Structures are given as structure tokens and as C-alpha cells.
Amino acid sequence: MKPLSFSFFKIMSLRVKPFWIELGYFTTLSFLGFLALNYFSKPRTLPSFRPQNLDVFFTSVSSTTVSSMSTIEMEVFSNVQLVFMTILMFLGGEAFTSFLRLKLIKKENKDESFSCKDYELGNVINVDDKLEDVIITNPIEDHSHHDHHDEIIKIKSIRLLSNVVFGYILVIILLGSSLVSLYIIIIPSAKQILNKKGLNLHTFSLFTTVSTFANCGFVPTNENMMIFKQNSGTSGLSTYEKIVGSLFEVVNTRHTGQSVFDLSTFTPAILVLFASMMYLSSYTTFLPVYNYEEKSEKMKKRKGRSLMDYISLSQPSCLVIFTILICVVEKDKMKNDPLNFNVLNILFEVISAYGTVGMSIGYSCARQINPDGHCKDATYGFAGKWSNTGKFILIIVMFFGRLKKYNQRGGKAWKVL
């Protein structure tokens, strides 16, 4: 009879698929973030403006999944709320979740060896045995002793790696926030921006560093990084500023999603190019690398496919379905406001949420065919003008994008469809 001294995580790792564990982790974190942002802190715009509950939950999910999609202007949030969002981005970032996976497999079972799966940066590593000394029942089998010795080395290596990853995270965040603070202190114009907007220096530095490190893309200012340019438009920049700004924008389409330009001024061709780059997530490779899952897939084909394998859809198919659903939900706005609510803008928003990039074309009152005198331009994302149903669909897309590594054929070499 097997001992019952399994920890909860060991039971979960043996009986529950990693997808459901991570989905539960991000869902729970999102709901806790919603409670913290909505009930344990208040926006600094009270009493004139209070965000809707769905918008607050949208922001919590966006922070947890490091998508940086927005339906509320960032300067609505108070200093305490920015701290809560920083925690959500930190806990939801790939670096910290990788650290958690490494730490959890260190749990030892003194009574029997166990098998669990560790997913480090998308690669599956099977780790067997325990950290305790192994008793060899048959000393004649030297190869058995050698195998057990190798497994112990693996576990100890993972323990060391987890400590290295944690130290790496701390160093990057502390060094990065210190450099951002130093820059703001040294540059008077940057410090003036924070003072004018009433933003705390240390909160801004830590928030921006964690957001960038976690590949989220949130910035406490309404204008994102655009306000830190020398000029406010897409013209009048020096050659050097144009090169740096263009490089910053292109890199962010693959990673964080921070922006120094107004995307609504870009041509459709550039927007399509950006959408393609956001779809091809940062861990997708075009080089022929060794496929660690190839063997397991062959074994799976021999054993037969499960029901989920037959009904699962490719990533482009899912994105098309989500886009169609949103177009159906927002059909009235697409009819009355076609320059803002068009298929390209909606698709761009969906792909940005799926890629956890966070870029948005936004909404412009100037593009309205039938001008609305009450319309006011805002700096939040295009999704902020959607209906509640459309926002809820985009929330699902953000979860889908954060867990896309579990989708069929996702993230493999030479595979982009």
C-alpha cells in the first residue's frame, strides 16, 4: 500500500494536467487582483469617476496574463492600485512562473520516488526520484546505481537553477528600477512629467521595470512611453530619434507592447506587418532545432488520440472565431462608425491580446462619420469602446494567449500555423 504522505502539489502534478493547473493559477490570481483593485483600494479619480467592475476585472486579467490591454486610462489608478498591478504582473510573468515550476519539483517524498513534469521555457523535462539518499536494493546492477545517481544530480541541478533564476529576477528588477529612478532624477524634463501627473518616483520606477521585465507593457502614464519623446507627433524628430524610436517600436511588437508612436497614424500595411509580428510569439523560432516532444507525439499516435485532440482547433482558427464573434457583437458600431470599428482594427486588437503584446490602434473621435458632440478622445485601448460582451470575449483571448503553449502545434520550430 502506497504511503499517503503526498503533498497537494504532488497529487496535482500526477493527476491533473499542467494546463488546468496554470489556468487555475491565472484565474485565481485574476480574481484576487480584481478584489484588491476594486474593494481594497480606490482610484484617485473619485468621486468624479469610478471604473466599472468589468473594466477593473479586465485590467486585473490583463496584468496577470501580462497582456497590457487597457479599457481604462492608467492615470485613473491610485498609487496603491499601481502597487497591486505591479504584484500581479510580477506573479504572472514568465520568469516568476518558471521559478515556481522549478521550486515545486523540489518537494521531496521520503517514502517513495515520484515522477513529475517541469515545464521550463516551453520544454518538457521529466524528473524522477527524490532528493533523499537512494537505497540500492540490488548492488549488483551497477547501471541502476548510475541511473539513480544521475537523477539525484538532475534534482540538485534544478535546485541550483531555481536559486539562480530567483537571484536573476531580483537583480534585474532592483537594478532596472534603480536605473529608471536615476534617469528621472538626472533628467529634469522626465522628473517634471512625473510631478505634473502626480506619480510617485519609486512606484513609477518599480512598476515600469516589472512591467517591462515581465513583457507586459503597462506604463503608469496615459500616453505610455510617447510622453517621454522630445516631440509629441510622428514628425519633427531628428534622424537619431527616428531610428531609436523605430527600433523601440519594432522590438515591442514581439515582446512588451510599449509604444512611442500613435499607431492610429500608421498605414494599413504597417499595421498588418505589426499584427503578423505579434502573432508570431517571441518564443517561435524559424531555425531547425531538436523537437523534444517528437518522441512523445509518436507514442501518442500509437496509443490513439483523445477526444480533445480531435476537437482542438489551430491557433489561427481560434483567432478567426474570436474575431468573428466580436464583429457580430459590435455589428451596430461597425455599421455606424466604420472608420474606427472595422475588421482590421478588431483583428489587430485580438492578435495583440493573443500575443500578450498589448498594442492598440485606439479610438479617435475625429474618424467618426457621424460626429458625436459628446465624444472625447481617450488614451486607453480600442477595446475600451467595445460593449461588455466584446470585452469579455477579449478576456478569454488573453487567457488563451497566455496559455497558448499548450495549444496544438504551438511554438514549435518551423511551425507558425
Side-chain angles (χ1 to χ4, degrees):
M1 181 177 179
K2 293 184 178 181
L4 299 178
S5 58
F6 285 98
S7 66
F8 174 75
F9 173 75
K10 292 176 184 176
I11 296 176
M12 293 290 288
S13 64
L14 291 173
R15 298 183 180 274
V16 180
K17 291 185 177 180
F19 169 81
W20 297 110
I21 296 177
E22 289 205 27
L23 179 60
Y25 172 79
F26 289 118
T27 303
T28 302
L29 200 59
S30 297
F31 276 105
L32 292 177
F34 166 73
L35 294 177
L37 293 174
N38 203 46
Y39 296 104
F40 296 100
S41 58
K42 298 180 180 179
R44 59 176 179 172
T45 53
L46 288 178
S48 60
F49 173 76
R50 185 182 185 89
Q52 296 181 359
N53 288 342
L54 181 61
D55 289 327
V56 176
F57 181 67
F58 187 101
T59 302
S60 178
V61 173
S62 184
S63 301
T64 302
T65 59
V66 293
S67 302
S68 70
M69 307 299 294
S70 63
T71 58
I72 309 173
E73 289 186 325
M74 290 301 298
E75 292 176 24
V76 168
F77 299 107
S78 63
N79 188 71
V80 176
Q81 289 178 317
L82 291 178
V83 172
F84 281 138
M85 291 176 64
T86 303
I87 296 174
L88 292 176
M89 291 186 295
F90 177 78
L91 297 179
E94 187 64 32
F96 184 78
T97 53
S98 297
F99 166 74
L100 282 184
R101 298 181 195 114
L102 290 171
K103 293 295 290 185
L104 289 174
I105 65 170
K106 286 172 47 183
K107 298 296 183 180
E108 54 189 7
N109 186 347
K110 295 183 180 180
D111 297 319
E112 65 177 8
S113 59
F114 66 97
S115 177
C116 64
K117 286 185 177 180
D118 171 57
Y119 294 81
E120 181 210 348
L121 302 180
N123 296 329
V124 180
I125 305 173
N126 291 325
V127 181
D128 298 318
D129 221 322
K130 56 185 179 179
L131 291 176
E132 299 297 321
D133 293 335
V134 179
I135 300 177
I136 305 301
T137 57
N138 188 359
I140 298 178
E141 298 181 1
D142 294 336
H143 67 277
S144 177
H145 181 276
H146 178 73
D147 292 340
H148 283 297
H149 180 69
D150 289 343
E151 295 301 332
I152 294 176
I153 293 178
K154 284 183 181 179
I155 297 296
K156 291 183 177 180
S157 299
I158 292 175
R159 168 186 284 176
L160 177 61
L161 179 60
S162 65
N163 295 331
V164 172
V165 170
F166 185 71
Y168 166 76
I169 294 174
L170 288 182
V171 169
I172 292 297
I173 291 178
L174 293 177
L175 180 61
S177 58
S178 299
L179 290 176
V180 173
S181 298
L182 181 62
Y183 169 81
I184 294 174
I185 293 175
I186 294 178
I187 306 300
S189 59
K191 187 176 182 180
Q192 184 179 1
I193 291 174
L194 264 62
N195 293 335
K196 182 180 180 180
K197 292 181 174 292
L199 296 173
N200 182 275
L201 170 63
H202 302 294
T203 302
F204 176 88
S205 301
L206 182 62
F207 183 100
T208 305
T209 301
V210 172
S211 176
T212 305
F213 179 71
N215 280 347
C216 184
F218 275 137
V219 178
T221 60
N222 288 341
E223 303 85 355
N224 204 275
M225 294 299 293
M226 287 186 286
I227 197 170
F228 293 101
K229 291 196 309 177
Q230 182 178 355
N231 302 99
S232 58
T234 57
S235 61
L237 300 177
S238 66
T239 303
Y240 171 77
E241 290 170 338
K242 289 180 179 179
I243 293 176
V244 173
S246 300
L247 179 62
F248 183 92
E249 199 75 25
V250 171
V251 169
N252 272 273
T253 59
R254 294 277 285 170
H255 297 280
T256 308
Q258 294 169 338
S259 180
V260 293
F261 297 114
D262 181 4
L263 296 185
S264 65
T265 62
F266 286 18
T267 64
I270 297 297
L271 293 178
V272 171
L273 175 61
F274 276 20
S276 303
M277 295 174 69
M278 290 189 296
Y279 168 74
L280 300 175
S281 54
S282 56
Y283 56 77
T284 301
T285 176
F286 294 96
L287 297 178
V289 297
Y290 178 75
N291 189 353
Y292 292 95
E293 298 180 0
E294 183 177 356
K295 184 177 179 180
S296 62
E297 286 187 354
K298 290 182 179 179
M299 294 297 295
K300 189 174 182 180
K301 290 181 179 179
R302 294 177 184 175
K303 295 180 180 179
R305 289 179 175 270
S306 64
L307 177 62
M308 289 300 296
D309 293 325
Y310 284 109
I311 64 176
S312 61
L313 299 174
S314 65
Q315 297 182 30
S317 299
C318 293
L319 293 179
V320 169
I321 292 174
F322 285 129
T323 303
I324 292 175
L325 289 176
I326 294 174
C327 288
V328 170
V329 170
E330 308 294 345
K331 61 180 180 180
D332 291 336
K333 295 180 180 178
M334 294 183 70
K335 180 180 179 181
N336 300 324
D337 191 8
L339 295 184
N340 282 303
F341 281 85
N342 55 67
V343 177
L344 176 60
N345 290 3
I346 292 177
L347 179 62
F348 190 93
E349 201 84 356
V350 171
I351 293 179
S352 181
Y354 160 79
T356 64
V357 176
M359 285 187 168
S360 178
I361 298 177
Y363 183 91
S364 174
C365 297
R367 292 198 294 265
Q368 291 182 337
I369 294 181
N370 302 314
D372 181 5
H374 300 286
C375 181
K376 183 179 179 181
D377 287 325
T379 56
Y380 49 72
F382 178 41
K385 292 292 185 178
W386 295 6
S387 64
N388 288 342
T389 305
K391 293 176 183 177
F392 183 77
I393 295 175
L394 202 63
I395 288 175
I396 298 176
V397 176
M398 288 190 286
F399 279 119
F400 175 69
R402 187 63 179 86
L403 299 172
K404 59 180 169 283
K405 64 183 176 183
Y406 294 107
N407 188 266
Q408 188 179 25
R409 301 190 301 273
K412 295 181 182 178
W414 298 101
K415 298 288 187 179
V416 296
L417 296 176

